[in-house]
Amino acid sequence: MDLLSVRQSLVTSNIANVDTPGYQTKDIDFADELRRASGSPEILQAGGLVTKNDGNNVSLDRESRLLAENSLRFQAAESLLRAQVQQVRSAIKEGQGS
Amino acid sequence: MSLFSALSVSASGMSAQRTRAELLVENLANAETTRTPEGGPYRRKDAVFESSGVASPFASVLFQQSEGSLDEASANGVTVAQVVTDTRDPERRYLPGHPDADAEGYVAFPRMNPAEDMVDLMSASRGYEANVAAIGAVKDMIQRSIDLLR
């Protein structure tokens, strides 16, 4: 969820800079970071994007897709975490009962 | 860097696009203006964007208190670096009866292409929409994190 937050921050940053001359799209290698699970992810420049006349290579389509994707992944991670929290809660409740 | 800084980033994008839209609308309104306080016809204005760190006073103070240093923000917002005024020569139209006509009967009109402004206006409006969508998505994520313990 931390990783997804960082990624979502970068996506919003890319969207805000959609008209900034010379701005390069930023991203993280999600799968790689997830495997390493280190504290601070490395921020990369996204490759394979078309650079416009003003040196800006933000693709609004790519960013909206990532926005939606991150939201869904976050939702999935949140459901998993919620299940764990529920487990702990029910354990506490049972303990109180006896 | 947190999801809250993402909100500030999107807000900076919205404010920059709004500034740009204001300038473009001003251009369209003044397409035929021949008198300005500076003298001469109106000149087209446009905004130059620059990416910059976002200032979220609460987050920066909180970070300073807890970690003793300022957050090295890697998410960049956007600001309007400057407003540039078109330096092209005004368009001269032959209108001898016009009160602003010069000795030869020519009036200086702003050199403006309404199509150019309309296209830029559409792009500013789309940019604004994209930022609004981003705020919606981030807000949803924050709300989900809060609801986790309900």
Side-chain angles (χ1 to χ4, degrees), chain B residues 24 29 31 38 55 58 61-62 69 89 100 108 110 113 116 120 123-124 128:
Chain B
L24 291 168
E38 304 89 52
F58 181 77
V61 170
L62 186 70
S69 68
D89 284 334
D100 291 328
N113 181 0
E116 196 183 343
D120 282 355
S123 137
Y128 192 87

Side-chain angles (χ1 to χ4, degrees), chain A residues 32-69:
Chain A
D32 194 43
E33 295 294 344
L34 200 59
R35 229 175 293 126
R36 286 198 293 135
S38 66
S40 53
E42 189 186 346
I43 288 143
L44 313 161
Q45 306 240 319
L49 291 167
V50 184
T51 307
K52 286 171 260 177
N53 276 341
D54 58 357
N56 179 306
N57 73 350
V58 178
S59 150
L60 214 48
D61 301 332
R62 176 185 181 275
E63 303 308 327
S64 357
R65 172 183 70 81
L66 280 176
L67 200 64
E69 190 188 309

Side-chain angles (χ1 to χ4, degrees), chain A residues 11-25 52 54-61 63, chain B residues 13 16-17 20 49 51 76-78 123-131:
Chain A
V11 170
T12 55
S13 169
N14 290 338
I15 290 179
N17 281 291
V18 71
D19 282 318
T20 309
Y23 182 85
Q24 298 285 310
T25 305
K52 286 171 260 177
D54 58 357
N56 179 306
N57 73 350
V58 178
S59 150
L60 214 48
D61 301 332
E63 303 308 327
Chain B
Q17 298 287 8
R20 181 158 163 239
F49 287 177
S51 78
N76 278 332
V78 61
S123 137
S125 150
R126 291 290 168 271
Y128 192 87
E129 263 172 49
N131 279 302

Side-chain angles (χ1 to χ4, degrees), chain B:
Chain B
M1 186 171 56
S2 68
L3 278 177
F4 288 102
S5 76
L7 283 181
S8 314
V9 167
S10 288
S12 79
M14 282 168 69
S15 118
Q17 298 287 8
R18 194 210 304 269
T19 309
R20 181 158 163 239
E22 277 167 10
L23 290 173
L24 291 168
V25 170
E26 190 185 323
N27 289 341
L28 283 170
N30 283 292
E32 305 276 322
T33 305
T34 54
R35 291 178 196 173
T36 51
E38 304 89 52
Y42 178 82
R43 284 178 187 278
R44 185 176 190 275
K45 288 181 194 147
D46 204 354
V48 178
F49 287 177
E50 184 183 57
S51 78
S52 70
V54 282
S56 168
F58 181 77
S60 60
V61 170
L62 186 70
F63 206 84
Q64 230 167 359
Q65 295 290 324
S66 58
E67 310 262 327
S69 68
L70 268 172
D71 187 6
E72 198 57 54
S74 48
N76 278 332
V78 61
T79 52
V80 176
Q82 62 176 134
V83 175
V84 285
T85 312
D86 195 356
T87 52
R88 285 180 294 183
D89 284 334
E91 194 180 297
R92 281 157 60 83
R93 286 191 211 154
Y94 185 66
L95 290 168
H98 198 284
D100 291 328
D102 60 9
E104 293 160 28
Y106 283 99
V107 183
F109 275 95
R111 186 170 290 277
M112 198 105 65
N113 181 0
E116 196 183 343
D117 281 309
M118 285 313 292
V119 169
D120 282 355
L121 195 57
M122 277 162 68
S123 137
S125 150
R126 291 290 168 271
Y128 192 87
E129 263 172 49
N131 279 302
V132 172
I135 286 198
V138 172
K139 211 177 75 181
D140 194 46
M141 279 166 83
I142 294 174
Q143 191 62 52
R144 283 185 172 282
S145 306
I146 293 171
D147 286 347
L148 204 55
L149 287 170
R150 284 232 173 107

